[in-house]
Amino acid sequence: MGSRTLAADGITVEITPKLREAMAEEWTWPNYPMHWCTRSEIRQVSNEAQKIHDDIRHGHLLIHAHARALV
């Protein structure tokens, strides 16, 4: 759960300067399968994966598939 979600639920959230500094540091993901991605791209992919996970967990995921009939 992110700080924005907590704040939206009325929970006071404080991100300390030390945590902000740690968040801004360069980091790597060991054995990350998309090694060509930048740090911000890795975060974007991770955020999208987390959203899919949360949607599944909360029953909000709608899968819409198209199939062509073979005639």
Side-chain angles (χ1 to χ4, degrees), residues 11-70:
I11 299 170
T12 302
V13 177
E14 178 185 353
I15 300 175
T16 64
K18 186 167 182 137
L19 178 56
R20 283 194 190 280
E21 181 181 320
M23 290 165 52
E25 286 178 3
E26 197 63 40
W27 58 277
T28 59
W29 191 329
N31 302 316
Y32 190 74
M34 296 166 50
H35 56 84
W36 59 87
C37 290
T38 66
R39 178 179 70 175
S40 62
E41 290 169 333
I42 290 171
R43 286 186 175 156
Q44 181 181 358
V45 169
S46 297
N47 289 340
E48 290 171 10
Q50 183 65 49
K51 182 180 180 334
I52 292 169
H53 174 269
D54 292 344
D55 287 346
I56 291 169
R57 191 176 78 193
H58 297 295
H60 298 152
L61 183 66
L62 174 65
I63 298 174
H64 185 87
H66 293 270
R68 295 188 322 180
L70 299 175

